[in-house]
């Protein structure tokens, strides 16, 4: 296994990340993942986000997160990805733990995240990391919040103390 | 003209705003504006955002903005809308000036925003407010940055000192 190098993302990393998402997630070409992860996250939340590269410079993983401005005790993880070849090796867990440590230093006592009802793997991952899973209506076989992120955008919520 | 009431948005305002956007902008039903304005903005940036209601409680306008975490001298305006019946009355300008004042108090010296090349009205509005308009490639008849927000997502940038 190649050594992994952790650093803060730069604005210029945005295009690499949005191009990786549909490949890593096997999304249809019109899924427009950049709508979920616009450049603003790389401009304004770089200081609390993490980008991981392999020895050869290729993108290996990333975590985009920030501290809430209106709920300063809360940290929020917006988007996390790990290259398929590097999955199941603890990289995502390591990214989460690095983010938790950063946010504890800033005084956060809670971390939140969300996923879609269909994303069982994300739900298992968050449970394994000690997150409480939230939802009140069965959607695709799991409890989720209906229209949480707008019409038709149902979400499972995760929260964990820090 | 009805009196307008300004306040901070609450998380529960998210659904009203995402339902208003396609009506106010006359978007197709599948435009999914909630992708551009997920609930997280109402959870985590409420303290620097503004919601305006008419006397009867109906949504009149909103501005969603925040101070950059990694560029603390920069404020960012993410999304602004005014109900069609209230347009051309200075409501958007008033929202911008209230946001500028909030951000100056926090120590910001610069404010940024973006729009699509096709949105001429937004471009005129920002010019009139003293923003410098950025772009390097002609797209739909104006200068814009190609693929600024991901593949096919060209944007015109605005920046202004505070």
């Amino acid at each position: 296994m190649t050594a992994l190098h952790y650093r803060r993302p730069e604005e210029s990393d945005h295009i690499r990340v949005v191009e990786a998402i549909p490949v890593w997630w096997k999304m249809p070409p019109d899924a427009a993942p950049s709508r979920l992860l616009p450049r603003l996250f790389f401009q304004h939340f770089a200081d609390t986000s993490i980008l991981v590269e392999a020895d050869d410079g290729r993108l290996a993983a990333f975590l985009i997160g920030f501290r809430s401005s209106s709920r300063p005790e809360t940290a929020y993880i917006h988007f996390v990805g790990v290259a398929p070849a590097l999955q199941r090796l603890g990289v995502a867990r390591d990214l989460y733990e690095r983010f938790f440590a950063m946010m504890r230093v800033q005084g956060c006592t809670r971390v939140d995240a969300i996923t879609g009802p269909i994303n069982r793997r994300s739900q298992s991952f968050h449970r394994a990391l000690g997150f409480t899973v939230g939802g009140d209506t069965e959607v695709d076989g799991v409890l989720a919040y209906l229209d949480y992120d707008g019409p038709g955008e149902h979400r499972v919520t995760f929260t964990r103390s820090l």
Side-chain angles (χ1 to χ4, degrees), chain A:
Chain A
M1 183 181 166
T2 179
L4 296 178
H5 305 274
Y6 291 72
R7 64 171 171 86
R8 299 282 160 263
E10 306 278 340
E11 183 173 348
S12 57
D13 292 309
H14 174 249
I15 187 67
R16 302 169 65 195
V17 173
V18 299
E19 286 180 347
I21 292 170
V23 180
W24 292 3
W25 270 266
K26 300 181 176 62
M27 284 176 169
D30 63 346
S34 62
R35 286 283 172 97
L36 298 170
L37 194 59
R39 177 183 285 247
L40 72 89
F41 287 95
F42 289 72
Q43 295 168 319
H44 304 305
F45 306 113
D47 58 323
T48 54
S49 297
I50 308 165
L51 189 127
V52 189
E53 291 172 315
D55 267 339
D56 60 5
R58 276 194 303 172
L59 185 67
F62 64 88
L63 180 152
I64 307 298
F66 57 82
R67 182 183 186 186
S68 175
S69 176
S70 36
R71 300 175 182 175
E73 78 290 353
T74 299
Y76 180 73
I77 297 178
H78 180 58
F79 220 114
V80 179
V82 177
L86 294 168
Q87 286 176 8
R88 303 186 180 279
L89 298 171
V91 177
R93 174 184 285 266
D94 186 37
L95 283 172
Y96 269 64
E97 285 172 356
R98 285 169 187 251
F99 181 75
F100 294 168
M102 262 196 291
M103 293 293 102
R104 278 190 202 104
V105 168
Q106 292 200 18
C108 293
T109 56
R110 165 185 172 150
V111 56
D112 290 352
I114 55 170
T115 198
I118 209 170
N119 196 340
R120 295 296 205 280
R121 191 159 158 189
S122 170
Q123 293 156 33
S124 303
F125 171 76
H126 284 88
R127 264 185 230 279
L129 273 180
F131 283 83
T132 300
V133 180
D136 60 7
T137 307
E138 193 175 313
V139 183
D140 295 327
V142 297
L143 290 179
Y145 292 108
L146 281 181
D147 303 322
Y148 179 91
D149 246 339
E153 303 284 344
H154 317 312
R155 297 287 183 271
V156 174
T157 62
F158 307 120
T159 189
R160 179 191 191 282
S161 58
L162 281 180

